[in-house]
Amino acid sequence: MKMLGKLKTGEKAVIKDISNVNYLVRRRLLDLGITEGTEICLKCKMPFGGPYMLECGGRCVGIRRCDANDIKVERK
Amino acid sequence: MDIALLGNPNTGKTSLFNNLTGSYEYVGNWSGVTVEKKIGVLKNNKAKLIDLPGVYSLNPLSSDEGVVTRFLLANEFDKLLNIIDASQLERNLHLTLQLIEFGKPLNIALNMIDVAEKRGIHIDVDKLSACLGVPVTPIIARSGKGCDHLAQLATEKEEAPENPYLVDYGEEIDKSVRELEGMLGGQGQHSVRWLAIQLLEGNRYVKKYLLDYVSEDKLDSFIEKTKNAVLSAHSEFKSLEQFIYKKRQAAIAGIVGEAVVKKEDKGIPLTDRIDRVVTNKWLGIPIFLLFMYLMFMLTFDWLGFPLSDWLDAFISGPVSSGLEKALLLLGAGEFIRALVLDGIVAGVGGVLVFVPQIFILFFFISLLEDSGYMARVAMVMDRLMEGVGLNGKAFIPMVIGFGCNVPGIMAARTIETPRERLLTILLTPLMSCSARLPVYALFVGAFFLHHKALIVLSIYVLGIVIALLLAKLFSNTLLKGETSLFVIELPPYRVPQLKSLAKSTWEKGKGFIKKAGTFIFAGSVIIWLLGYFGPGGIDVPMNESYLAMIGGIFAPLLEPLGFGNWQSGAALLTGILAKEAVISTMNIIYFVPDEASLQGLLAGAFSPLAAYSFMVFILLYIPCLATVATIKKETSSYKWTLFACGYAIVIAYLLSFLIYQGGKLLGLG
C-alpha cells in the first residue's frame, strides 16, 4: 500500500482507500468514475507542487497534489 | 411538446442541441458551457428542446448543476433526452439510471460511437436498449450523423421507461421508500422512489422540495434511521451515498456485460501525444503564453490593424461622403446633417472600425474553448491560482472575460466552492474585455506605433497581475476560510471544425455589432446633442457646451493622472455605460472624420505617458453597466456589487497615479 502521490509517472495502480480526501473532492472524483477499486495511471506531475494528471478508463483528470497524497493505492 | 436535453459534461450535448435545432448555441469543449438553460425549436418544428447544464449526477455539487435538479423538480416538460458518451458508457449510465428512476418518458442518444469504436469498444445498441427499457439511437453529434432519426424518434413515441426499477437497492431501502410514501400520503407529483433515493444520497434540492410536505425533523430522523439500517446490514460501507453508488455500479456492470464487447486498445491516441507537449511539466506555461502572444500579434498587429485601417478609410471616405450627398439630396437641414455626420457616423463608425480586431480575438477564444485546450490551461494554471487562494478553474472565466466580462462572470458558476466563486466574480471584470480593445487600439496607434501588440499585451497582463494580487489580498482578509478545491476533467482534444468555429465567433461578436447599432447609436446622439447645446444656445463651440461642463467637473480630479481635461472626463463618464462609448465620445468631441485624424489630435492632447496612464485607467476603473447587472444577479448582493465597483475605481486611480507621477519622476513624461 502506498500513496498515489508517491507513484512515478507512467505507473499504474488500483485505488484502495479514498476516505481521507475532502468530501467535495471525493464526490467529484466519484462523478468521474474514480473511487475504491478503480485502476488509474499517473500521467504527469506539474512542476512547483502543481496538480497531477491521472488517466482512468481513457479519460484524463487533474487533481491536486495534496489530494493525491491522501489517496491510498496498490501498485499493479 | 417540450423535451429536456441532459447529459454528462463533455459529451457533445451542445453540439447535439445545435444539430437538432438548427439554431446555434455556444459550444465549448470544457465543462460548464451551458450555465443557464437554453431553448431551441427542433428542425421538424414538432417540439421545443431545452438544453440544460451538463451534470454527472442529479445530486448537485456546484450551482450550475443545481439548475438541472431544480428544473426536474419544478418545471413542466413531456420528455427527457439523455445524451451518453459511448466511450465512457459506465460513467455516463449513473445519470441515465437516475433519470430512468425519475420515471418520465426518456430517449437516449448514444454519442461518439466513432470514438468508442476507435478505442475498441463495440456497443450492441439493441441490447443496450433492451437492458435499459428505453429507445437508444446511435449518433455522431459533431457530424450530425443519426440526428435526424433521433429527432423523429424523440417526437414520435412518448412512453415511460419499461422498468424504472433497474437497480435493486436492497430491502432496507425498499422499506424506507414505502415509509416515505406513507409520510407523503399522495402529496407531490414525483416518483416517491426517486425522491427517496435522491434524499438518502444527500440531494439538498430534493430535501428542500420535500420540506413542503414533511417537517425537517421527520426527514432527518427518516434519513438517520435508514442510514443505520443499511449500514448495520452492510458493514463494508461507510455512507449511504457510497452504498447507493455501488448498487448502481453493480447494475451498470450487468448492463455493460450484456451490451458491450471490448476489443484490444490500439496505439496511443492523438490526445495523449498532444498532452505530452502542452501539459508538459516545463513547457505548459510557456506554450500558453506563446499562444496568447500570437493571438495579440494577430489581433493588434499582423492582421487586425491593417483590416481596421481599411475599414476606417471606407467609413470615413465612401460611406460618409455618400451619406452627405444623400442627405443633401433629401434636402436635410444643417442640424440634421451635422447630427448624422458628426454625431452618428463619428460615434457609431468609430466603434464599428474595430469589428475586425474584435472578431479575431473572439476567434481565438472560440478556438481555445472548442479544441479542449481550455481545461489544460486551468490545469497548468492551478498551482499559481492556488497560491492566491483560488483554483485553476477560476482561470477559465477570466479567459472568457477577455471576450466579454458578462459570460465570464456567468462561467464562474462551475466553481464548486462559494468563496472561490465569489472571488472569481469580483475579479473577472479586471480582465480586459473586447469593448476596451478599441480604446487601446486607438491609443497605441497614436502613441506607440512601433510596439503596438507589446503595449496592449502589457495592459492585459497588468489586468491579470492585479487580479491575482487582489485575489491574494481578498482571500487573506475579506474572504477567509473554506478550503480550496480542484478536480478537473480533461476532455480529449478535438480538431475544431471550421463551421462551428465561425459560428461561435459570430455569436460572440454579433453582440458587439448589435450594441453599436443600439446603445452606441443612442449614446452618440445624446453626446452630440450635449456637445451641440450649451448655456449660450445652440451650435456653441464645443468648449462651451454642456458636455464640456459635465466633463469639466471631473477634470481636476484626473489632473494628477495626466489627463485632466474635460474631454477625458466626459469620455470616462460615458464609458461606464459601455467601454467602447469612450471611443464614440472622443470621436464626437474632437470632431474628426476618421481614426487617423483623431490620433493626430490626441497626440496634441496627451503625452505618451499620459496615454498609457489613461489606458490603465480604462482597464480598471469600473465594470460596465451590463457587467454590474450580472454581478448583482450572480452574487444577489448589493454589498458585493458595490464592492466590485468601489475597489475597481480605487485601484484604477492609485495605479494610474503611480504610473503617471512615477513616470514623470523617471523623466518619461
Side-chain angles (χ1 to χ4, degrees), chain B residues 153-356:
Chain B
L153 204 71
T155 43
E156 266 173 8
K157 291 186 190 159
E158 207 177 308
E159 292 158 20
E162 279 169 25
N163 175 19
Y165 304 113
L166 284 177
V167 187
D168 177 13
Y169 292 103
E171 53 178 322
E172 296 84 10
I173 300 254
D174 285 344
K175 198 176 138 223
S176 73
V177 170
R178 284 194 296 276
E179 193 179 328
L180 186 70
E181 211 158 18
M183 278 153 78
L184 282 173
Q187 298 176 95
Q189 46 177 335
H190 299 294
S191 151
V192 178
R193 188 165 182 269
W194 180 81
L195 288 171
I197 288 158
Q198 290 293 327
L199 177 72
L200 293 172
E201 251 191 307
N203 190 326
R204 57 182 195 278
Y205 288 83
V206 166
K207 186 172 179 188
K208 212 171 140 212
Y209 170 82
L210 286 170
L211 284 179
D212 285 350
Y213 310 108
V214 185
S215 74
E216 183 151 20
D217 296 344
K218 259 182 154 179
L219 277 184
D220 284 338
S221 71
F222 165 76
I223 297 170
E224 197 57 34
K225 207 170 89 190
T226 314
K227 185 179 159 193
N228 291 337
V230 170
L231 296 189
S232 60
H234 309 271
S235 56
E236 70 271 32
F237 292 102
K238 296 181 190 97
S239 69
L240 262 182
E241 205 183 336
Q242 192 199 9
F243 176 78
I244 293 172
Y245 181 88
K246 285 286 173 192
K247 286 287 173 193
R248 261 187 216 130
Q249 204 173 35
I252 289 169
I255 295 166
V256 169
E258 282 274 313
V260 178
V261 185
K262 273 190 187 147
K263 289 170 241 154
E264 261 311 289
D265 235 333
K266 31 193 154 167
I268 305 169
L270 180 66
T271 292
D272 276 23
R273 266 177 276 156
I274 301 175
D275 264 338
R276 275 184 204 162
V277 182
V278 298
T279 45
N280 179 283
K281 239 178 138 117
W282 303 109
L283 293 177
I285 292 181
I287 287 175
F288 176 62
L289 291 178
L290 184 72
F291 182 86
M292 296 303 267
Y293 178 74
L294 283 178
M295 170 169 124
F296 282 103
M297 285 309 274
L298 275 166
T299 310
F300 291 98
D301 212 330
W302 299 333
L303 185 61
F305 194 73
L307 279 175
S308 284
D309 252 8
W310 173 83
L311 195 61
D312 187 33
F314 178 71
I315 290 177
S316 59
V319 173
S320 259
S321 56
L323 261 174
E324 191 170 6
K325 275 186 203 132
L327 286 171
L328 277 172
L329 211 68
L330 290 170
E334 201 185 326
F335 174 79
I336 294 294
R337 279 211 315 271
L339 173 65
V340 171
L341 296 171
D342 305 334
I344 295 168
V345 173
V348 177
V351 166
L352 282 181
V353 163
F354 297 99
V355 163

Side-chain angles (χ1 to χ4, degrees), chain B residues 409-465:
Chain B
I409 287 168
M410 308 230 304
R413 288 184 192 176
T414 55
I415 297 168
E416 289 93 347
T417 57
R419 183 189 68 91
E420 287 175 294
R421 182 176 163 218
L422 177 60
L423 205 49
T424 310
I425 292 173
L426 292 177
L427 297 175
T428 299
L430 296 179
M431 298 303 116
S432 188
C433 67
S434 60
R436 278 169 256 192
L437 182 154
V439 185
Y440 310 146
L442 179 79
F443 276 75
V444 291
F447 296 98
F448 308 101
L449 214 51
H450 300 296
H451 306 284
K452 285 192 290 271
L454 208 65
I455 291 284
V456 178
L457 185 63
S458 77
I459 296 276
Y460 277 74
V461 170
L462 184 73
I464 299 175
V465 170

Side-chain angles (χ1 to χ4, degrees), chain B residues 113-124 256 259-267:
Chain B
I113 39 171
D114 52 336
V115 180
E117 288 285 346
K118 254 185 229 148
R119 287 199 44 222
I121 302 167
H122 177 75
I123 298 172
D124 185 330
V256 169
V260 178
V261 185
K262 273 190 187 147
K263 289 170 241 154
E264 261 311 289
D265 235 333
K266 31 193 154 167

